[in-house]
Amino acid sequence: MITERLKTDSENYENSIARAAELLEAPGASYAVTPNAEIVYEAMHDAAFAQLINGAALVLPDGAGVVKAARILGTPLQQKVAGIDFAAALLDVLAAQGKRLYLLGSKPGVAEQAALNLLAAYPGLLTGNEEKLRGLLAELPAGEATHLLASIME
């Protein structure tokens, strides 16, 4: 826990990937978040945002500042788990499990550029395009994608 309002899992990098792999195989939907100091700050001032973060199956500290703040507040965490490293490791897990991934970027062209970069390393992992997903999950053809990777970065 970072603050009274915001939970954080105290997992090391390897355990967080193992836990995520379990979640990928489990029935139902779940999500993971990797809040950095800016996101923690926003969550401290926005109860709805904090609730969204706390609803995640995994809340992993993305940044040394989050880890240090937790230590200062008396709730030390094992280590930071950078969101980009976590996402990259999940690509390996998804590919090994034969899953399909749908990319959703926050700015026009983000998902398309990421797809071009990922296709070479992970043939068969990606499905769809950003415009198709804008109608969002209710219209996604059944069985086409098993997982969604969304970026809120600009």
Side-chain angles (χ1 to χ4, degrees):
M1 179 168 306
I2 300 172
T3 71
E4 290 182 18
R5 179 178 278 185
L6 193 64
K7 76 169 192 173
T8 304
D9 295 301
S10 183
E11 297 283 351
N12 65 30
Y13 177 77
E14 292 78 17
N15 288 346
S16 67
I17 302 305
R19 178 71 181 118
E22 292 171 3
L23 290 169
L24 290 170
E25 289 292 325
S30 60
Y31 61 98
V33 295
T34 57
N36 61 17
E38 294 164 314
I39 292 174
V40 170
Y41 178 82
E42 289 299 321
M44 289 172 53
H45 297 89
D46 184 334
F49 187 50
Q51 186 176 11
L52 179 68
I53 292 171
N54 287 335
L58 277 173
V59 181
L60 304 170
D62 186 354
V66 176
V67 174
K68 186 169 184 163
R71 186 174 57 243
I72 290 169
L73 294 171
T75 55
L77 303 170
Q78 288 190 41
Q79 71 181 105
K80 78 171 188 170
V81 180
I84 190 71
D85 296 335
F86 180 71
L90 289 184
L91 294 174
D92 290 331
V93 172
L94 287 169
Q97 293 178 351
K99 304 291 185 181
R100 304 280 313 267
L101 179 68
Y102 204 106
L103 298 175
L104 176 64
S106 61
K107 288 173 30 176
V110 171
E112 289 85 353
Q113 185 60 52
L116 291 174
N117 296 340
L118 292 172
L119 279 172
Y122 302 98
L125 179 67
L126 302 178
T127 184
N129 61 50
E130 190 170 356
E131 284 69 39
K132 183 177 174 186
L133 191 59
R134 290 206 186 271
L136 221 44
L137 298 175
E139 297 178 22
L140 189 62
E144 188 171 309
T146 56
H147 297 82
L148 168 70
L149 179 60
S151 171
I152 60 169
M153 302 303 294
E154 293 188 30

